[in-house]
Amino acid sequence: MIELFHQQPPSLGNQYTDDRVLRSFLRRALPRDVLAQVEPDLTTMGELAGGELYRLHLADRLNEPVLTQWDAWGERIDHIEVSPLWKRAARLAAEYGLVALPYERTYGVFSRIVQFALVYLFHPSTDVYTCPLAMSDGAARTLVEAGDATLIDRALPRLISRDPDRCWTSGQWMTELPGGSDVSRTETIARPGFDGVWRLFGRKWFTSATTGQMALALARPDGNPPGSRGLALFYIELRDDEGRLQGIRVNRLKDKLGTRKVPTAELSLEGTPARLVGAPNGGVRAIVPMLQVTRIWNSVSAASFMRRGIALARDYARRRVAFDAPLNRQPLHTETLATLQAEFEGAFHLSFLTAGLLGAEETGVADERQRHLLRVLTSITKLTTGRQAVDVMSEVIEAFGGAGYVEDTGLPTLLRDAHVLPIWEGTTNVLALDTLRALAQPGTWEAILSLADELMAGVNDASLARASVHARTALDHARRWFGEARDRARLERGARRLALTIGRSLELALLISHATWSLTEEHDGRTRAAALRFARTPIDLIDDDDCDDTALADDMPM
């Protein structure tokens, strides 16, 4: 009897102990006593991420949020039931302090690094439950920055609670049909009532994590001028003491390409009670802390997705035999995986650099250079890593051949979910334009160049030294182009290439820096290999020959 072939699926081990990049980074970034304190939680989260949560993620594949608008007796309830994995993830997120850590400040300036290390492990096995966590973290920081004692006393302890039965999550209601990233076109109106409570009227076209207990929303106070200067930020509690929605109708759940477990809804606000956060014309300014936080969550999630895809592809390459040899013994396949690994490592280090800058800012130890870097790198890191994640995950799917295209392997979900990363919290183009504004501030370019020089100082490996010249030359070219591009249209046409050049140059500089440390302290040459491979990819994307061929965008008949 002929035995039929059986292909073993890829499997995961402990996602902390198996992650050389994370463990090496934390050995360098954290004091020994801090690492010793947090390593048990990291190890347990790594076991959950590669074990229970990953198995539940696969088993939960077909479960999606369900909206029930009416109960059996004709009452409007607008109840959203989330998946079993999301319910498990919610409890774990609270217990491990995934939002609480930076506000508890147990680890001082390192609290953000510890937080995002746990988030990085947690994210890819929990069907993007990081979405409500990111918005809750952003809401907490926004309320702290706004300084409203009543709201801080009311909401902050719940947002950062480690008790799953007490912990709140927050929504973020900005997007409306007339304008996505262009919030200046917001149509929601806020009217003050005789009882001193504001009430909101309008339609929010795209609201993520609608199952939270609170939300922060933009609206235009009645009588305020049009445009972004007429907007205000409002705090909303979704339900009253009896659990009924307060002037909120859930019109429908969005049918999305990816992040299908996230209950993204279209809402109508019909006199929703709200409290003003900050000035009645300072809404856009008030959401800056929120966007800063959520964009860093996005960047860390991008690195996390890349790591997960590569881990699965690497394990599969050991198990899959083709043309008489395992894939991990075939030069072209290993060449492909090595390139993906280098992209991931660059994204990882850039994301955690930005996370560390946020921690320094929040704990009051950031110097002027770090503040400049946080302002510009929040956008650059998010746009760079978001683009990398989509490209890497596309290659990961291809690394599985036909199996990568089959839904019940769970692999296509990774690619679909990665596609949200360049879109949510500002598309690549929107953030590239934001980068132009940040670079125009005095001191920003000096901060970027001095950081690069600091990272690449002390390189004593000849190949790494040549790669250092490559990174610095690309940054010099970017600065020169920015200074010479006086025409605004030319600047905007090249903004994406400019931002990506800075992002990829700094990723290379970070890889060189960590490789130099790792060679000395760990006697490990793998980061060096990643740095040299990354140096052979496109780093300088600036185009000096600015051809205004934008007529191709319309491509109308002549």
Side-chain angles (χ1 to χ4, degrees):
M1 182 175 180
I2 299 174
E3 184 177 347
L4 295 177
F5 172 76
H6 171 69
Q7 176 61 54
Q8 291 184 332
S11 65
L12 296 172
N14 186 303
Q15 292 301 282
Y16 175 65
T17 58
D18 288 354
D19 194 329
R20 166 186 61 84
V21 176
L22 175 62
R23 295 180 69 201
S24 177
F25 168 76
L26 293 178
R27 280 195 292 270
R28 184 183 182 194
L30 298 181
R32 287 185 180 180
D33 62 324
V34 172
L35 182 58
Q37 291 177 65
V38 302
E39 198 148 41
D41 276 355
L42 291 166
T43 302
T44 304
M45 183 63 80
E47 184 61 36
L48 286 166
E52 176 198 343
L53 290 176
Y54 181 59
R55 291 190 296 271
L56 186 53
H57 159 78
L58 293 176
D60 209 29
R61 183 178 64 84
L62 296 179
N63 288 320
E64 294 187 4
V66 175
L67 168 63
T68 301
Q69 292 177 308
W70 306 90
D71 71 8
W73 302 99
E75 293 296 319
R76 184 79 185 245
I77 56 173
D78 285 345
H79 172 73
I80 299 172
E81 185 71 16
V82 297
S83 67
L85 175 54
W86 260 48
K87 293 176 182 179
R88 175 69 171 135
R91 300 193 71 84
L92 287 172
E95 291 167 358
Y96 281 86
L98 297 191
V99 174
L101 272 161
Y103 303 93
E104 295 169 342
R105 303 241 175 117
T106 303
Y107 310 110
V109 71
F110 305 105
S111 295
R112 280 288 180 187
I113 296 293
V114 174
Q115 174 202 27
F116 280 117
L118 285 164
V119 168
Y120 163 88
L121 295 169
F122 175 86
H123 166 73
S125 292
T126 52
D127 286 338
V128 200
Y129 188 74
T130 42
C131 175
L133 296 180
M135 292 187 292
S136 301
D137 190 354
R141 185 158 188 255
T142 299
L143 295 179
V144 169
E145 292 288 326
D148 185 320
T150 299
L151 289 181
I152 291 172
D153 291 344
R154 169 71 177 166
L156 188 62
R158 293 169 170 83
L159 289 169
I160 67 173
S161 175
R162 286 181 180 250
D163 179 354
D165 296 319
R166 184 171 185 260
C167 185
W168 281 8
T169 55
S170 177
Q172 182 176 307
W173 299 353
M174 313 295 171
T175 306
E176 299 192 5
L177 198 57
S181 296
D182 183 7
V183 296
S184 68
R185 302 180 69 190
T186 294
E187 294 181 336
T188 299
I189 297 297
R191 298 190 177 104
F194 294 111
D195 55 1
V197 176
W198 290 83
R199 284 178 168 76
L200 307 187
F201 300 85
R203 181 169 63 143
K204 294 297 183 182
W205 186 76
F206 201 93
T207 66
S208 291
T210 317
T211 50
Q213 290 77 21
M214 60 160 285
L216 295 179
L218 286 176
R220 193 178 310 280
D222 216 0
N224 270 22
S228 59
R229 292 184 180 180
L231 295 177
L233 184 65
F234 290 89
Y235 165 92
I236 297 167
E237 290 187 15
L238 276 69
R239 296 181 182 271
D240 61 20
D241 293 339
E242 296 181 3
R244 295 172 300 197
L245 287 171
Q246 302 193 87
I248 299 168
R249 300 279 191 184
V250 182
N251 300 329
R252 57 174 172 158
L253 294 179
K254 296 295 188 179
D255 188 8
K256 299 167 294 177
L257 169 70
T259 64
R260 298 185 66 88
K261 302 302 181 71
V262 182
T264 307
E266 179 182 311
L267 306 178
S268 291
L269 306 182
E270 302 172 352
T272 308
R275 180 182 174 94
L276 183 66
V277 180
N281 60 354
V284 173
R285 191 179 311 111
I287 64 172
V288 168
M290 175 189 296
L291 296 176
Q292 200 169 56
V293 168
T294 53
R295 285 170 179 170
I296 295 173
W297 275 77
N298 196 97
S299 303
V300 172
S301 297
S304 176
F305 264 145
M306 285 184 263
R307 154 68 188 164
R308 171 56 54 86
I310 293 167
L312 290 169
R314 187 183 291 122
D315 186 74
Y316 185 70
R318 297 187 187 104
R319 301 171 185 272
R320 177 64 174 171
V321 175
F323 307 109
D324 300 321
L327 291 178
N328 70 343
R329 294 292 180 265
Q330 301 199 25
L332 183 54
H333 195 80
T334 58
E335 167 78 9
T336 303
L337 293 182
T339 300
L340 301 184
Q341 178 71 18
E343 290 288 329
F344 150 66
E345 292 194 32
F348 173 93
H349 285 287
L350 186 60
S351 297
F352 275 87
L353 167 71
T354 312
L357 291 169
L358 177 62
E361 170 75 15
E362 289 177 329
T363 52
V365 301
D367 57 26
E368 185 178 7
R369 186 185 81 168
Q370 289 172 314
R371 288 191 291 272
H372 279 303
L373 288 171
L374 179 61
R375 168 69 180 89
V376 70
L377 290 187
T378 301
S379 295
I380 288 176
T381 302
K382 193 271 187 186
L383 72 86
T384 303
T385 59
R387 292 307 323 160
Q388 285 175 297
V390 171
D391 293 342
V392 166
M393 294 312 300
S394 178
E395 287 280 7
V396 162
I397 296 300
E398 189 174 343
F400 286 90
Y405 204 68
V406 176
E407 285 291 349
D408 54 8
T409 65
L411 296 167
T413 301
L414 291 171
L415 178 59
R416 283 198 301 269
D417 286 353
H419 268 279
V420 80
L421 298 168
I423 297 172
W424 186 60
E425 298 297 44
T427 64
T428 305
N429 284 356
V430 166
L431 294 179
L433 296 175
D434 185 67
T435 298
L436 293 181
R437 290 187 286 272
L439 291 173
Q441 298 300 311
T444 301
W445 273 111
E446 290 74 14
I448 293 170
L449 296 174
S450 68
L451 169 65
D453 289 340
E454 181 181 293
L455 289 170
M456 297 183 292
V459 175
N460 50 22
D461 176 277
S463 296
L464 291 176
R466 287 192 291 273
S468 299
V469 173
H470 187 30
R472 190 57 159 86
T473 300
L475 285 173
D476 286 339
H477 186 197
R479 186 182 189 182
R480 185 171 64 254
W481 181 89
F482 180 81
E484 293 173 353
R486 301 298 181 187
D487 177 68
R488 182 67 192 180
R490 186 186 183 200
L491 267 176
E492 290 193 7
R493 282 194 299 272
R496 178 193 282 237
R497 293 190 294 271
L498 173 69
L500 287 169
T501 296
I502 297 170
R504 294 186 66 82
S505 297
L506 289 178
E507 287 185 347
L508 178 54
L510 286 160
L511 286 171
I512 291 167
S513 175
H514 196 72
T516 302
W517 175 86
S518 185
L519 286 169
T520 301
E521 300 297 328
E522 301 175 316
H523 307 291
D524 189 334
R526 285 174 290 183
T527 306
R528 176 183 182 274
L532 297 181
R533 180 167 290 272
F534 193 82
R536 296 197 294 273
T537 67
I539 303 295
D540 186 347
L541 306 178
I542 301 293
D543 184 4
D544 287 316
D545 296 326
D546 179 50
C547 301
D548 183 7
D549 48 13
T550 51
L552 291 171
D554 292 328
D555 204 20
M556 298 295 289
M558 298 295 289

